[in-house]
Amino acid sequence: MGNPIEPADVRILEALQEDGRLTNQALADKVGLSTSPSWRRVRQLEETGVIRGYKAVLDRRAIGLGVLAFIRVKIDSHSAAEAEAFASEVSRLEEVVGCYSIAGDADFLLQVVSADLDAYADFAMSTLRRLPRIKEMQTTFVLKEIKPFAGFPLGFAGRRA
């Protein structure tokens, strides 16, 4: 983003990360602005891509997804085209809820959910393992979520290096 994030924008972002369903009036009251400037700032944050959308945060266990795992994947080739092809294929898999290209001894880190260990094993062996270019996979199962993702820290927002 070209323009620095101002303190009022940070207050808006913090409030919306906490509750994306706030009405404009409630948001304005919470951040100490009148409704019109609050609305304009939110629209500006949306138009510049700082706010990318609004979603409900679901409890994965309540919807039947008892297993959360991270899978480190090495692929055969390190060409940009091969990496993009792998990323494209993985992006279509419903069980993969996050995919990151990483540095180190693996190429990708996948965040995967499934109903149970049997469903995970079926997905890993019947779907994921059969994708072309996979050289190695290593799964780490989450035993307990200590601090699940709840939003980005905004204490640094607007500061220039």
Side-chain angles (χ1 to χ4, degrees):
M1 186 173 133
N3 299 328
I5 296 177
E6 307 217 0
D9 297 330
V10 171
R11 292 192 309 271
I12 287 170
L13 294 170
E14 286 173 338
L16 288 176
Q17 276 196 139
E18 187 178 308
D19 183 358
R21 295 183 69 178
L22 286 173
T23 64
N24 186 47
Q25 181 65 57
L27 176 62
D29 292 345
K30 188 166 187 154
V31 301
L33 294 172
S34 60
T35 56
S36 196
S38 173
W39 181 84
R40 279 195 302 271
R41 284 182 178 274
V42 169
R43 291 292 167 254
Q44 174 77 16
L45 292 165
E46 291 169 347
E47 288 169 6
T48 58
V50 173
I51 296 175
R52 295 177 52 193
Y54 300 89
K55 297 179 181 182
V57 178
L58 308 179
D59 181 321
R60 73 175 167 81
R61 287 184 187 92
I63 60 171
L65 298 171
V67 171
L68 173 61
F70 291 91
I71 307 171
R72 296 166 53 87
V73 176
K74 292 181 187 180
I75 59 174
D76 283 331
S77 171
H78 289 94
S79 76
E82 293 290 323
E84 286 177 27
F86 176 81
S88 176
E89 291 177 37
V90 166
S91 294
R92 289 192 287 270
L93 300 176
E94 189 175 59
E95 295 88 345
V96 177
V97 296
C99 178
Y100 310 92
S101 175
I102 61 173
D105 62 351
D107 300 304
F108 294 92
L109 180 65
L110 310 181
Q111 185 176 8
V112 174
V113 293
S114 63
D116 54 36
L117 287 175
D118 289 336
Y120 171 80
D122 184 51
F123 166 74
M125 299 312 290
S126 299
T127 303
L128 191 58
R129 192 69 171 138
R130 292 187 179 176
L131 292 179
R133 295 175 290 280
I134 289 184
K135 181 178 179 181
E136 186 178 320
M137 289 176 24
Q138 180 184 15
T139 300
T140 302
F141 291 102
V142 173
L143 300 177
K144 183 177 182 181
E145 287 180 273
I146 306 300
K147 184 179 179 182
F149 182 76
F152 292 107
L154 292 164
F156 65 90
R159 294 185 197 160
R160 296 208 176 230

